[in-house]
Amino acid sequence: MIDPTGYTYCHEHLHIDLSAQKHTLDCRLDQYELLCDEMREVQKRGVRNIVEVTNSFMGRNPQFIENLINDTGINVLLSTGYYIEGFFPEHLYQMSVKQIAQGMIDEIETGIDGSSLKASVIGEIGSSKDSFSETEKTVFQAAAIAHLETGRPISTHQSMSTMGCSQLQLLQKSGVAMDQVTVGHCDLRDNLDHILWMLDQGCYVQFDTIGKNSYYPDQKRAETLALLCQRGYENQLMLSMDITRRSHLKANGGLGFSYLMDEFVPLLVQHGISHDQINTLLRVNPTRLFG
């Protein structure tokens, strides 16, 4: 569960392996000592919680996370679910909605892969760019069942900030309360109208690819967040970096996890977002949702 005394990164990866699909070793994030260093540094800046959204078949490694928690003291919330097309195991296509849901429920209630850790988030479950496959929809329906059974929140993945509205509509039809859902990757393109629609449904919205300026500049992320705060939506916004590659780590020449606190938070202040509002985005909102 969340440690409410500190800040939370709402969407991260501490061990992930997408190297087979991405055809590069850079996408195998598993450098233990470097990640320990990153976690020690980020805690010096007031961050206590990492929501780790690597689920099964994305290279999740609960023993690796157990060691990271024990060696650094960082608080990590693990996830259950399935990602998107191209990353699904073959057997998923033969499973019923109820079978998929039961697997999620088991990881929440019993534990993950023989470790001492249990999942406390249903995520990151996603849709493809500009489309929503039938199997992806089935995973969302299963996530809704698992949520209704366990009460654990749902965290989604939008490919390039597309299909978030469709995700919410499907979850609404499945009986999920919108204040139990957080939509990921809302900050990869100009999509203010979609963000406003989603916020008006009552869900949380994540600006969680901070620092990925090659996709979308942080300057625009800050401008949009400032506008949303001005309009009174600060109670539904959360922040993170979605670090997934070795090259994202500080020691490997990347920005590192501390970039959000060291560089992006001051940028938000420059755009008129108050320290109280920043506390809401980084501490209050994640604590309310992830509990």
Side-chain angles (χ1 to χ4, degrees):
M1 297 297 135
I2 285 280
D3 178 347
T5 65
Y7 298 138
T8 298
Y9 284 14
C10 66
H11 186 111
E12 293 297 342
H13 303 275
L14 297 172
H15 189 287
I16 185 169
D17 186 3
L18 306 181
S19 58
Q21 296 89 343
K22 302 276 190 176
H23 307 295
T24 172
L25 189 62
D26 191 36
C27 290
R28 184 184 297 164
L29 184 63
D30 63 352
Q31 294 173 303
Y32 185 74
E33 291 303 329
L34 299 187
L35 283 156
C36 283
D37 291 343
E38 293 268 2
M39 291 302 99
R40 293 183 184 108
E41 287 300 314
V42 85
Q43 286 180 89
K44 294 176 184 176
R45 292 148 174 87
V47 177
R48 285 292 303 120
N49 308 286
I50 301 289
V51 179
E52 218 286 12
V53 292
T54 311
N55 56 43
S56 187
F57 300 95
M58 294 175 76
R60 184 182 62 187
N61 186 327
Q63 287 78 24
F64 186 97
I65 303 301
E66 277 182 310
N67 292 337
L68 199 64
I69 293 167
N70 291 334
D71 286 344
T72 70
I74 192 71
N75 187 46
V76 182
L77 280 68
L78 268 69
S79 300
T80 184
Y82 296 91
Y83 184 35
I84 58 173
E85 288 287 353
F87 300 87
F88 290 154
E90 282 301 314
H91 67 259
L92 183 70
Y93 296 95
Q94 275 68 56
M95 294 172 68
S96 69
V97 172
K98 288 185 178 179
Q99 287 173 325
I100 297 169
Q102 190 58 53
M104 298 180 192
I105 293 165
D106 289 345
E107 291 195 332
I108 293 167
E109 295 184 342
T110 304
I112 301 174
D113 297 338
S115 74
S116 66
L117 302 176
K118 298 179 180 180
S120 54
V121 178
I122 300 164
E124 69 178 290
I125 57 167
S127 50
S128 300
K129 186 176 184 292
D130 296 318
S131 66
F132 205 163
S133 79
E134 289 306 311
T135 306
E136 289 168 346
K137 290 178 182 178
T138 299
V139 170
F140 267 74
Q141 292 164 343
I145 293 170
H147 161 73
L148 294 170
E149 179 76 21
T150 65
R152 299 315 302 159
I154 297 172
S155 179
T156 82
H157 164 95
Q158 289 185 94
S159 297
M160 294 308 297
S161 298
T162 65
M163 306 306 293
C165 298
S166 297
Q167 293 178 359
L168 291 183
Q169 288 168 338
L170 179 54
L171 291 173
Q172 285 172 326
K173 287 180 183 177
S174 300
V176 177
M178 289 294 94
D179 65 356
Q180 295 300 302
V181 179
T182 182
V183 180
H185 313 325
C186 295
D187 57 336
L188 288 168
R189 66 185 180 101
D190 291 326
N191 61 338
L192 181 61
D193 288 347
H194 286 175
I195 290 173
L196 290 170
W197 184 88
M198 290 188 286
L199 288 167
D200 287 339
Q201 306 312 300
C203 72
Y204 293 85
V205 157
Q206 294 180 179
F207 279 55
D208 57 17
T209 61
I210 290 162
K212 296 187 177 182
N213 289 286
S214 61
Y215 290 103
Y216 195 74
D218 278 348
Q219 183 72 22
K220 283 194 170 186
R221 290 187 177 96
E223 290 170 1
T224 305
L225 284 165
L227 177 63
L228 294 173
C229 286
Q230 289 166 12
R231 296 193 183 187
Y233 290 107
E234 65 262 28
N235 292 325
Q236 293 169 255
L237 306 171
M238 294 189 289
L239 306 178
S240 210
M241 293 186 65
D242 191 30
I243 284 177
T244 57
R245 293 173 175 257
R246 294 179 176 186
S247 58
H248 291 161
L249 301 180
K250 188 81 168 177
N252 294 331
L255 296 177
F257 281 88
S258 295
Y259 170 88
L260 194 161
M261 302 304 301
D262 291 349
E263 303 293 338
F264 192 71
V265 166
L267 184 62
L268 294 181
V269 173
Q270 290 174 24
H271 281 78
I273 297 180
S274 71
H275 289 288
D276 280 348
Q277 289 172 321
I278 289 165
N279 185 62
T280 298
L281 271 56
L282 281 168
R283 189 179 65 83
V284 178
N285 296 343
T287 299
R288 187 189 310 116
L289 178 63
F290 297 112

